[in-house]
Amino acid sequence: MQRTGEEGRGQVRYGPPAPAPGLPVLPELSAVLAAAAGRTHAEPPGGGHALRGAAAAYWWRRGLHVEARCVAAASGAQPLLFALMAAVGGDVMLPRPCPAWWVPQATMLGRAAYHVPTPAECGGVPDPFALLETVRRVRDEGGDPRLLLLCVPDDPTATVPPPELVHEVCEAAVSEGLHIISDETWGDTLHRPQETVFVSPAEMFPGQVTVLVDLAGAYTPASWPVAVARCPLTTQGAALHDRTLDLLTAIGAVVPGPVAEAATYALGEPEPVAVRLRTAAALHARVAAAAHRTVLAAGALARPPQAGRHLYADLGPLRAGLAAREVTDSLELEGYLSARLGAPVPGGHRFGDEMAALRVRIATASLLGATPEQRLESLTSAQPLELLHVARALSTFETAFDELR
């Protein structure tokens, strides 16, 4: 069984970062951070009582049984996942494609990571039958698979796996004794929350699933790193939580005090935060849908984006036009589109896809405007696609794809 390779990843060794919101920081959130700037006492490893309590209440409102004692917080999703992976141990199973930073985490821990193909209708979860086959082959070859990583909703594909598929995947993983970490960073960015059904794996198998949420997905700017995790309310979950806190302490991944205050406020979902969540998700939904129409009209492929601030496009059908521009793989495609659109467009090789596949993740933030004022206008407009700066950005985007036909 061939594990994930350490391929060339472009100019940024382990990039790219998650798609940014492209919007000014919520004033009420900035005010909380500023008011806490004089705080002198440090947040304890794993988060203080207020932050952990706010995270527990956040999950309770979403129907997930959580207690503050099973919550861990850290200064970003990367150190938190690193600690959780180290605490679980063993080899890692993950979908193809997957978030760009997952494989480097396993590599730094000296763990083998194995990609499993995703089903045709969505990303974020592996095909359950392929997962079982991969786990068994890895074990036959002397491997030790213990952990499955899921991304529900997904980065990079911006899709939401249907609940029945999530259940089948989790059932397969649990039957093979795998612990599951479900990255649900994009769960609060659904484009059509009244139509799209998002069910956490932890609701189905609460004793075998740890949930991870990076607050930069919907609540706080990436410059204020903070993430929270919910461990199972079991004896094994308590041991996992304790081990995770030990590792977070060892690497110093403590949430800065003022950031913890802001995160606690945001997780409480007061009216300003709730309104920003809804309006930002609706804005990115409109822009992503417009970008998706453009990609399909040019002859490329892409699943309809359902969450997040991005879409994942397959330009394989445009291979001839790209070859004429000396673009033959995803690394070259990344460089070409990034230069053509004036914004980072990471290639699929960063997410575990084959280098020869002509796939890219396209973020929508760059289509909202070039200045904070323009982006705020996009957020507050009833018809953002009709704004001059948005229309121009979409026109440039359309031209870049049309010329590849």
Side-chain angles (χ1 to χ4, degrees):
M1 175 60 60
Q2 183 179 4
R3 65 179 183 179
T4 58
E6 298 182 32
E7 299 171 333
R9 293 175 178 267
Q11 295 180 350
V12 181
R13 186 178 182 188
Y14 289 136
L23 297 169
V25 179
L26 186 67
E28 290 83 355
L29 198 60
S30 294
V32 173
L33 185 77
R39 173 176 162 174
T40 57
H41 61 282
E43 195 78 356
H49 179 75
L51 177 55
R52 290 184 289 107
Y58 161 88
W59 276 306
W60 265 107
R61 291 192 296 272
R62 285 153 179 78
L64 188 60
H65 184 196
V66 183
E67 295 181 10
R69 62 183 175 85
C70 73
V71 174
S75 53
Q78 287 83 354
L80 186 51
L81 180 63
F82 184 85
L84 287 166
M85 289 174 63
V88 173
D91 298 336
V92 183
M93 316 301 293
L94 37 89
R96 182 194 297 273
C98 69
W101 51 282
W102 283 4
V103 172
Q105 295 276 351
T107 300
M108 286 189 292
L109 286 168
R111 305 283 164 72
Y114 298 90
H115 280 300
V116 183
T118 54
E121 64 265 36
C122 65
V125 299
D127 177 89
F129 297 103
L131 174 65
L132 290 172
E133 179 67 18
T134 304
V135 168
R136 290 164 187 170
R137 287 186 181 181
V138 169
R139 285 184 175 146
D140 287 346
E141 295 177 7
D144 183 25
R146 295 190 213 170
L147 177 63
L148 170 65
L149 300 184
L150 306 179
C151 195
V152 187
D154 184 41
D155 173 23
T157 67
T159 58
V160 181
E164 58 273 17
L165 177 59
V166 174
H167 188 275
E168 290 177 13
V169 171
C170 292
E171 187 175 44
V174 169
S175 72
E176 292 295 328
L178 303 182
H179 187 73
I180 301 167
I181 296 179
S182 176
D183 185 341
E184 299 175 10
T185 293
W186 305 102
D188 293 304
T189 66
L190 298 182
H191 293 177
R192 296 176 180 82
Q194 303 304 319
E195 302 174 15
T196 303
V197 180
F198 159 49
V199 179
S200 169
E203 296 181 51
M204 303 173 180
F205 295 88
Q208 290 82 30
V209 178
T210 294
V211 178
L212 172 70
V213 173
D214 186 344
L215 269 64
Y219 291 91
T220 58
S223 56
W224 307 356
V226 56
V228 291
R230 169 264 183 203
C231 295
L233 288 170
T234 62
T235 301
Q236 293 81 5
L240 172 62
H241 181 266
D242 290 346
R243 178 62 176 154
T244 299
L245 293 191
D246 288 342
L247 291 160
L248 291 174
T249 303
I251 63 178
V254 177
V255 182
V259 174
E261 300 274 359
T264 299
Y265 171 80
L267 285 168
E269 299 178 285
E271 186 65 15
V273 172
V275 170
R276 169 59 72 89
L277 251 63
R278 291 194 299 269
T279 55
L283 172 62
H284 283 284
R286 290 188 178 188
V287 176
H292 181 250
R293 290 192 294 269
T294 295
V295 168
L296 296 186
L301 305 173
R303 299 183 183 100
Q306 297 173 291
R309 306 183 280 259
H310 54 287
L311 65 153
Y312 199 58
D314 183 349
L315 277 64
L318 306 178
R319 188 175 293 274
L322 288 166
R325 292 165 174 78
E326 299 183 343
V327 175
T328 60
D329 61 28
S330 67
L331 182 58
E332 293 170 347
L333 179 60
E334 173 183 299
Y336 172 79
L337 280 181
S338 296
R340 183 67 181 80
L341 298 175
V345 184
H349 62 288
R350 296 181 181 268
F351 308 102
D353 265 332
E354 296 84 358
M355 184 72 75
L358 294 172
R359 298 182 185 127
V360 288
R361 187 187 68 187
I362 302 168
T364 51
S366 63
L367 302 173
L368 305 181
T371 67
E373 292 77 18
Q374 287 182 343
R375 293 176 175 185
L376 188 59
E377 184 182 7
S378 300
L379 180 68
T380 56
S381 173
Q383 300 294 332
L385 300 186
E386 298 179 6
L387 295 173
L388 181 59
H389 58 269
V390 175
R392 284 177 174 171
L394 287 171
S395 177
T396 299
F397 184 83
E398 182 177 358
T399 300
F401 276 84
D402 281 348
E403 63 191 21
L404 297 176
R405 293 184 182 186

